[in-house]
Amino acid sequence: EPEVHTFPSKPDGVFAPAGGTHIFRSDSNGEDLEGFAGAGLYDSITVVDCLHRPVPYADERLIFDVSFRKQLLRKLFDLGRLVEANFNGQPQDIEGAVLEGGELVVLQSRPQV
């Protein structure tokens, strides 16, 4: 049975304008160093200014709707297994998004260190 170990902790969200934008991160490839995961250590810079505003987590279904949470966790698990299978079973560090309609999008995947 899937289990949530932590919930969202960032008080503010970054919201892209209509039409979207690109996000760049300044780093020194620290994530590619053997045995080192540097995710979240570097600044992200958007091409177009984005709105920053508090996220109303009290309204977030992920927190209060157990059925929704289980369904989403199952979809994420199944997608993760598909991505790993694509890389011959090697564990992956997968980044993605859940669209408003519930569709999952894989943005990038790399071997887990």
Side-chain angles (χ1 to χ4, degrees), residues 36-84:
F36 178 77
L41 297 177
Y42 307 102
D43 291 334
S44 295
I45 301 161
T46 57
V47 173
V48 177
D49 286 337
C50 294
L51 176 66
H52 292 246
R53 70 171 190 257
V55 177
Y57 289 119
D59 299 333
E60 177 55 56
R61 289 178 65 194
L62 182 64
I63 293 174
F64 68 82
D65 186 336
V66 175
S67 176
F68 170 78
R69 183 169 56 239
K70 286 182 177 182
Q71 289 174 0
L72 179 59
L73 287 173
R74 172 52 62 186
K75 286 172 64 174
L76 290 168
F77 174 83
D78 291 342
L79 180 61
R81 291 298 229 184
L82 286 172
V83 171
E84 284 187 354

Side-chain angles (χ1 to χ4, degrees), residues 14-30:
V14 179
F15 298 85
T21 186
H22 292 287
I23 300 174
F24 298 92
R25 213 170 63 194
S26 58
D27 68 21
S28 59
N29 293 323

